[in-house]
Amino acid sequence: MKILVCISHVPDTTSKINFTENDSKFDSNGVQFVINPYDEFALTRAMWFKEKQGATITVVTVGNATTEPTLRKALAIGADEAIRVNAEAIDGFTVAKELAEVLKNGGFDLVLAGKESIDYNGGMVPGMLATLLDYNFVNACVGLEIEGDKASIQREIDGGKEILSANLPLIIAGQKGLVEEKDLRIPNMRGIMMARQKKLTVVEPSVNENATSSVSFEKPAAKSACKIVDNVDELISLLHNEAKVI
Amino acid sequence: MSVLVFAETSEGKFKKSAFEVTSYGKKVAEQLGTNVVVLAINANDAKLLHKYGAEKVLIVNNPSLKFNAKVVADIIKQAAEKESSTVIVVDSNANGLYVAPIAAVNLNAGYASNVLGLPSSTSPFTLKRKAFSSKASNFTQINTAIKVLSLSKNSFGLVENEVSGVVEEFSPAIVESNLTSVSIEQTSGKVTIADADIVVSGGRGLKGPENWGMVEELASVLGAATACSKPVSDLGWRPHSEHVGQTGKPVASNLYIAIGISGAIQHLAGINSSKVKVVINTDAEAPFFKAADYGIVGDAFEVVPKLVEKLKEFKANNA
Ligand SMILES: Cc1cc2nc3c(=O)[nH]c(=O)nc-3n(C[C@H](O)[C@H](O)[C@H](O)COP(=O)(O)OP(=O)(O)OC[C@H]3O[C@@H](n4cnc5c(N)ncnc54)[C@H](O)[C@@H]3O)c2cc1C
Ligand SMILES: Nc1ncnc2c1ncn2[C@@H]1O[C@H](COP(=O)(O)O)[C@@H](O)[C@H]1O
């Protein structure tokens, strides 16, 4: 089985978010970038397939050269090779089109992505990619088993789960449940050394227009201080009369 | 030209979000000087949508049609073509978020998700949306002729705007899909985090799963959904589906009550969009107090049972 894992390179979850150039650009100064947490679940599931059922793993990102350490980290965790599409990821549709080009030549059976990037929170790329290629697609995936060319997939729905089945090729957008937190791996020294030898191919982009563009950013307005209340009667009265939420 | 809204139903009934996206679609249509058309599949009472401004409702009556994202996205496309829609609005429930990117590609449209309000400009078409897990917002411009957007839950609200509209039957072609739904497991009888106006959430401060009785009781008095912090679901005290935060579910309720939760940045990132936040924590220095509107510094094991008792009295008096 040939698996492609789509990796988005995002600020670490503890990052302070700031903007520059009149609030038009994200300020990456001092920000640590990581594999998008949902993609880490996807990669970990791919590793499981590799170890238990035999599979090769390619990781791909659409991004400029600064994303390479993130790809190397994925290689250190155990992916076999990496592809970087040398373009700034601005719009989800464009990213999906770039990834579709990678897939057209790759012969992949399974594409694992995350349910959203935690920077722009798009939730766009996997569904768009699947539609561009007319592959089966499952969003918010919390469980995946493969047997031969058949997949059994669990999807989170509002207030429950749906079990689906499909033939490969398949694209899923995953989240926790695909694997558990404790299954996530920290690259070890050997992995890091090996990652240096692994193939990282840079391909040039093929799309040159964006369906959407980012204009500017805004930080939430400063909040008024928390009212500390002494007892539950006062709390109930405030929630009823002041906040009007009960 | 028109604005097309997809109004989701569950067992024939509209979800609350269906009324919110309809209210929103009506206002966007006004901004654009056009009409709103609402598409609904297997709805028992399509007329309910007129109250929120739906001038026209397209209703697909096909009981054998179960939710399949590819099929629904294609129905949206057919409706959009029939109504010459330039803006398509869906909600942010699981199915809405599943369908939207597929519909966008089908319509060769730019897609903006997590939209927070009306377009700040219609030309260029610019929207404010959540970014960085609610730590900031982003103004996104959609450059394509057709635009797809998903409206963030509770960001617009329900706006009554009674119109005398029409309901029209719509019989779209049904595309093939070899993705099959095998079964659905619904956690029965419980309010879901996605639908809830109030969410009651517990953290590691509650010590163990055996102590969730009072959390559930509080939720039941308030008609609320229950949620938890990440370590609580990692430890297996509560199901994963209750994990909220940056890497869990986002919460955009009217009221969020956090019990024994410290208020780590990743937790707050997921619940920031809730309108009113209450914290109950023994530690007055817990970061949650900086994010909350109301707080009680105290032991959950004393405060929560008292709160349940007093709320029961309050509900009885205000019924
Ligand atoms: C990549 C990444 C992603 C993450 N994503 C998320 C996420 O999505 N959601 C999330 O929640 N976390 C997330 N976290 C974890 C986050 O950093 C915190 O560790 C977590 O939120 C802490 O959970 P907690 O508040 O329940 O526990 P703790 O931090 O242990 O806090 C317990 C609190 O309970 C209080 N307490 C103790 N006893 C009582 C009592 N008797 N009565 C009242 N209060 C009491 C304590 O004062 C303390 O403030 C993430 C972390 C990482 C690294
Ligand atoms: N620039 C990118 N390169 C590769 N994969 C991406 C990129 N952006 C997003 N993805 C994938 O698509 C998923 C959803 O991202 P998004 O649509 O940006 O929220 C991510 O979890 C990744 O798996």
Side-chain angles (χ1 to χ4, degrees):
Chain A
M1 184 162 56
K2 258 190 101 177
I3 304 177
L4 183 72
V5 182
C6 302
I7 304 272
S8 167
H9 159 92
V10 298
D12 173 74
T13 55
T14 54
S15 304
K16 292 266 182 296
I17 305 299
N18 290 306
F19 305 104
T20 58
E21 295 177 40
N22 256 333
D23 287 336
S24 68
K25 293 234 149 52
F26 176 68
D27 182 2
S28 56
N29 231 321
V31 172
Q32 166 100 33
F33 281 83
V34 296
I35 300 176
N36 185 44
Y38 298 111
D39 307 351
E40 214 179 326
F41 287 109
L43 177 61
T44 309
R45 190 65 191 161
M47 285 300 294
W48 189 93
F49 288 125
K50 176 175 166 169
E51 288 161 3
K52 299 277 171 16
Q53 298 184 190
T56 57
I57 305 172
T58 304
V59 287
V60 60
T61 197
V62 178
N64 60 29
T66 60
T67 63
E68 286 196 5
T70 302
L71 285 177
R72 289 277 175 216
K73 184 177 173 197
L75 293 172
I77 288 173
D80 300 290
E81 61 172 295
I83 300 172
R84 178 170 71 81
V85 181
N86 188 24
E88 206 81 47
I90 293 169
D91 162 54
F93 204 163
T94 312
V95 170
K97 285 178 182 164
E98 298 291 359
L99 294 173
E101 289 304 312
V102 170
L103 273 154
K104 274 178 201 157
N105 309 317
F108 294 98
D109 307 293
L110 178 65
V111 181
L112 303 177
K115 82 159 184 185
E116 66 174 12
S117 305
I118 64 166
D119 51 0
Y120 285 79
N121 304 118
M124 304 168 67
V125 171
M128 289 184 142
L129 177 59
T131 310
L132 287 168
L133 297 165
D134 201 19
Y135 282 13
N136 284 317
F137 166 60
V138 177
N139 203 26
C141 176
V142 292
L144 174 66
E145 306 288 343
I146 310 274
E147 244 186 76
D149 66 349
K150 281 228 170 314
S152 166
I153 314 125
Q154 296 184 24
R155 162 174 97 98
E156 188 174 68
I157 55 175
D158 299 327
K161 254 187 219 168
E162 180 179 14
I163 319 286
L164 299 131
S165 79
N167 288 330
L168 302 181
L170 169 72
I171 299 187
I172 67 121
Q175 60 189 69
K176 186 162 86 175
L178 202 50
V179 295
E180 296 310 323
E181 198 79 19
K182 60 173 171 27
D183 304 323
L184 296 178
R185 301 164 186 217
I186 300 160
N188 57 24
M189 211 51 213
R190 187 164 164 267
I192 295 167
M193 299 299 288
M194 279 172 52
R196 293 196 192 140
Q197 322 300 313
K198 288 180 180 168
K199 193 160 102 188
L200 192 163
T201 315
V202 179
V203 300
E204 288 309 314
S206 49
V207 189
N208 53 14
E209 49 175 11
N210 287 311
T212 63
S213 27
S214 165
V215 182
S216 62
F217 294 94
E218 195 178 270
K219 291 228 256 177
K223 218 190 104 300
S224 52
C226 178
K227 268 191 198 165
I228 303 291
V229 297
D230 296 326
N231 58 59
V232 296
D233 290 312
E234 198 184 336
L235 179 65
I236 291 169
S237 141
L238 284 167
L239 291 178
H240 183 60
N241 299 314
E242 189 177 86
K244 300 194 172 25
V245 285
I246 59 170
Chain B
M1 201 163 76
S2 70
V3 171
L4 180 72
V5 167
F6 176 58
E8 218 196 313
T9 51
S10 166
E11 283 164 13
K13 287 212 210 70
F14 287 112
K15 295 193 173 175
K16 188 180 149 201
S17 60
F19 301 127
E20 186 176 26
V21 283
T22 301
S23 306
Y24 178 83
K26 169 70 180 167
K27 293 287 173 200
V28 175
E30 280 174 7
Q31 271 188 333
L32 293 169
T34 182
N35 290 333
V36 62
V37 178
V38 184
L39 169 69
I41 299 172
N42 296 331
N44 297 339
D45 196 354
K47 288 198 181 64
L48 291 175
L49 296 169
H50 297 322
K51 188 169 157 194
Y52 300 94
E55 282 116 6
K56 179 168 179 181
V57 181
L58 289 184
I59 177 106
V60 178
N61 283 318
N62 182 348
S64 66
L65 196 61
K66 298 280 176 277
F67 177 82
N68 174 302
K70 182 178 171 183
V71 172
V72 172
D74 190 69
I75 293 175
I76 291 175
K77 179 187 178 205
Q78 293 177 54
E81 282 170 352
K82 167 171 144 46
E83 301 293 332
S84 314
S85 311
T86 52
V87 176
I88 290 96
V89 184
V90 304
D91 68 20
S92 288
N93 286 334
N95 292 351
L97 294 178
Y98 192 177
V99 161
I102 304 175
V105 171
N106 286 340
L107 290 159
N108 200 17
Y111 168 41
S113 54
N114 286 315
V115 168
L116 289 172
L118 292 171
S120 56
S121 144
T122 52
S123 177
F125 198 85
T126 312
L127 297 146
K128 184 173 171 174
R129 42 182 306 274
K130 280 191 210 172
F132 297 99
S133 310
S134 299
K135 288 183 219 167
S137 45
N138 175 241
F139 286 89
T140 300
Q141 183 180 312
I142 307 184
N143 307 322
T144 48
I146 299 178
K147 293 136 182 107
V148 173
L149 31 118
S150 58
L151 181 68
S152 185
K153 185 183 145 254
N154 276 344
S155 63
F156 192 72
L158 307 188
V159 181
E160 292 193 13
N161 197 342
E162 185 84 46
V163 291
S164 57
V166 294
V167 176
E168 190 183 297
E169 279 237 18
F170 179 47
S171 311
I174 306 296
V175 289
E176 297 252 327
S177 164
N178 60 10
L179 178 68
T180 347
S181 178
V182 178
S183 62
I184 286 183
E185 291 169 15
Q186 203 83 34
T187 343
S188 58
K190 278 191 72 182
V191 188
T192 65
I193 294 172
D195 278 338
D197 288 325
I198 303 180
V199 173
V200 178
S201 189
R204 201 149 51 181
L206 290 175
K207 311 285 192 284
E210 66 281 7
N211 298 325
W212 246 264
M214 61 182 188
V215 177
E216 289 192 330
E217 208 181 341
L218 178 58
S220 112
V221 183
L222 290 167
T226 49
C228 67
S229 68
K230 178 167 165 294
V232 165
S233 74
D234 289 345
L235 288 162
W237 296 357
R238 300 295 292 176
H240 287 316
S241 55
E242 287 198 0
H243 159 200
V244 299
Q246 181 153 23
T247 52
K249 280 210 178 64
V251 181
S253 55
N254 288 327
L255 173 62
Y256 182 77
I257 303 181
I259 306 164
I261 298 177
S262 58
I265 187 164
Q266 298 97 347
H267 186 84
L268 298 177
I271 59 102
N272 262 333
S273 339
S274 291
K275 299 217 169 67
V276 176
K277 286 160 276 223
V278 172
V279 54
I280 299 168
N281 196 305
T282 41
D283 176 8
E285 300 299 319
F288 214 118
F289 285 98
K290 292 213 174 63
D293 302 281
Y294 304 102
I296 294 185
V297 180
D299 185 344
F301 295 94
E302 285 164 25
V303 176
V304 176
K306 238 185 261 167
L307 185 57
V308 169
E309 184 196 318
K310 295 289 183 177
L311 272 172
K312 279 186 183 157
E313 283 172 24
F314 168 83
K315 291 277 173 187
N317 295 334
N318 286 271

